[in-house]
């Protein structure tokens, strides 16, 4: 069974840093673009950062210059380095894959369970 498992969330003071990880497990042949989304209480889920299979990256304007997305293809892991955190970054952060090719099938629009990030002022 394919899983995307996030880790690295927690409580941090404003100005601090956190590094989120998302590890894909299961019998996986390939993964297309992987993304980090976040959802704050009472708000819609929003795209924070994306990285394509070729390594191209894209960021929401609100995090440009502060967050960095990267990946380790061999480990099937994507990271989100978050620096200069602000209280408005508080949210549940979700890992997402556009599609995952497995031995049996292709899984589209695949989500992790989320990890809480809380930034105190």
């Amino acid at each position: 069974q394919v899983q995307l498992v996030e880790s690295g969330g927690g409580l941090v003071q404003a100005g601090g840093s956190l590094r989120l990880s998302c590890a894909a497990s299961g019998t996986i042949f390939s993964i297309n673009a992987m993304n980090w989304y976040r959802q704050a209480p009472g708000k819609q889920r929003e795209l924070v950062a994306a990285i394509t299979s070729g390594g191209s990256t894209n960021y929401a304007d609100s995090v440009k210059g502060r967050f960095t997305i990267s990946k380790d293809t061999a480990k099937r892991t994507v990271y989100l380095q978050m620096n200069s955190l602000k209280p408005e970054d508080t949210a549940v952060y979700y890992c997402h894959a556009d599609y995952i090719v497995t031995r049996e099938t292709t899984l589209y629009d695949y989500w992790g369970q989320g990890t809480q990030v809380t930034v105190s002022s």
Side-chain angles (χ1 to χ4, degrees):
Q1 183 177 357
V2 173
Q3 286 187 306
L4 296 177
V5 180
E6 300 100 332
S7 61
L11 174 65
V12 65
Q13 287 189 329
S17 298
L18 283 174
R19 189 194 195 204
L20 305 183
S21 299
C22 171
S25 62
T27 307
I28 297 171
F29 287 164
S30 65
I31 304 175
N32 195 33
M34 293 193 73
N35 316 294
W36 285 98
Y37 283 78
R38 68 185 180 188
Q39 188 166 20
K43 295 188 177 181
Q44 288 189 329
R45 193 170 296 189
E46 63 173 349
L47 178 64
V48 175
I51 187 165
T52 68
S53 56
S56 297
T57 59
N58 192 31
Y59 298 92
D61 287 343
S62 60
V63 306
K64 282 181 181 177
R66 300 187 298 122
F67 291 10
T68 303
I69 189 171
S70 61
K71 65 176 181 174
D72 184 330
T73 302
K75 294 182 178 179
R76 301 202 186 281
T77 300
V78 64
Y79 305 97
L80 185 67
Q81 178 66 43
M82 306 186 294
N83 299 328
S84 302
L85 282 161
K86 304 175 181 180
E88 50 263 44
D89 294 318
T90 295
V92 178
Y93 284 71
Y94 296 91
C95 179
H96 171 268
D98 285 1
Y99 67 82
I100 301 173
V101 179
T102 73
R103 180 172 56 192
E104 295 83 15
T105 187
T106 299
L107 304 170
Y108 294 93
D109 198 27
Y110 212 74
W111 294 89
Q113 82 287 352
T115 185
Q116 176 70 46
V117 171
T118 303
V119 184
S120 63
S121 57

